[in-house]
């Protein structure tokens, strides 16, 4: 399988409903909850790509473009953006969909960097 095929194959998409227990006093999704969901999708994407033990080492520039209201559906999409020697970068986007209307819009996006580690928690080569 080529690198491009592996990147496409590892693309991860998860849908969630935004319920009131995940929102703040403005009735929008907590930023920390959005980041938690993004890191989870990024982890799954990195693991699906490499099939190795992967750990988050950084998150880069998470941009909140639109608030995510309670009562909406969100789709989180993770895609490998760059593959290095021991690390890879995953871009995650969150799209908002109204439950009872067509259309969607980008709300949040950011990048997460992961490192492949061995059983001793030492960095190892990412399998390409």
């Amino acid at each position: 399988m080529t690198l491009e095929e592996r990147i496409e194959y590892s693309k991860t998409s998860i849908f969630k409903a935004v319920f009131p227990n995940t929102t703040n006093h403005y009735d929008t999704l907590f930023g920390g909850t959005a980041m938690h969901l993004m890191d989870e999708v990024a982890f799954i994407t990195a693991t699906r790509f490499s099939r190795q033990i992967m750990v988050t080492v950084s998150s880069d520039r998470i941009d909140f473009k639109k608030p995510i209201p309670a009562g909406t559906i969100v789709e989180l999409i993770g895609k490998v953006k760059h593959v290095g020697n021991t690390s890879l970068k995953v871009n995650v986007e969150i799209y908002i969909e109204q439950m009872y209307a067509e259309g969607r819009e980008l709300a949040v996006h950011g990048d997460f960097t992961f490192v492949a580690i061995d059983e001793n928690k030492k960095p190892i080569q990412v399998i390409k």
Side-chain angles (χ1 to χ4, degrees):
M1 184 179 306
T2 68
L3 180 61
E4 291 77 21
E5 289 171 331
R6 287 185 61 169
I7 288 171
E8 189 58 35
Y9 180 76
S10 65
K11 186 175 170 183
T12 302
S13 177
I14 294 175
F15 289 87
K16 295 275 190 183
V18 180
F19 291 114
N21 66 324
T22 61
T23 62
N24 59 29
H25 59 289
Y26 295 114
D27 211 24
T28 59
L29 187 69
F30 278 114
T33 302
M35 291 170 61
H36 168 89
L37 293 170
M38 292 173 78
D39 187 36
E40 184 177 333
V41 168
F43 166 76
I44 292 167
T45 304
T47 302
R48 291 182 70 213
F49 175 86
S50 69
R51 299 298 175 178
Q52 295 172 280
I53 300 170
M54 303 296 290
V55 293
T56 308
V57 293
S58 72
S59 58
D60 306 326
R61 189 168 175 126
I62 297 173
D63 291 324
F64 295 84
K65 299 291 190 182
K66 295 200 173 284
I68 301 173
T72 57
I73 297 167
V74 293
E75 180 182 15
L76 294 99
I77 302 171
K79 186 171 182 180
V80 173
K81 182 175 169 179
H82 174 77
V83 181
N85 290 326
T86 61
S87 67
L88 56 87
K89 189 169 283 204
V90 176
N91 177 261
V92 179
E93 297 175 325
I94 301 180
Y95 289 89
I96 308 168
E97 295 182 13
Q98 298 302 317
M99 285 198 186
Y100 308 110
E102 295 294 324
R104 61 194 248 145
E105 54 189 333
L106 180 64
V108 185
H109 64 89
D111 295 323
F112 294 78
T113 303
F114 289 82
V115 168
I117 60 171
D118 64 16
E119 61 279 349
N120 298 313
K121 299 184 173 75
K122 301 292 184 210
I124 57 173
Q125 180 107 16
V126 172
I127 299 170
K128 298 177 189 171

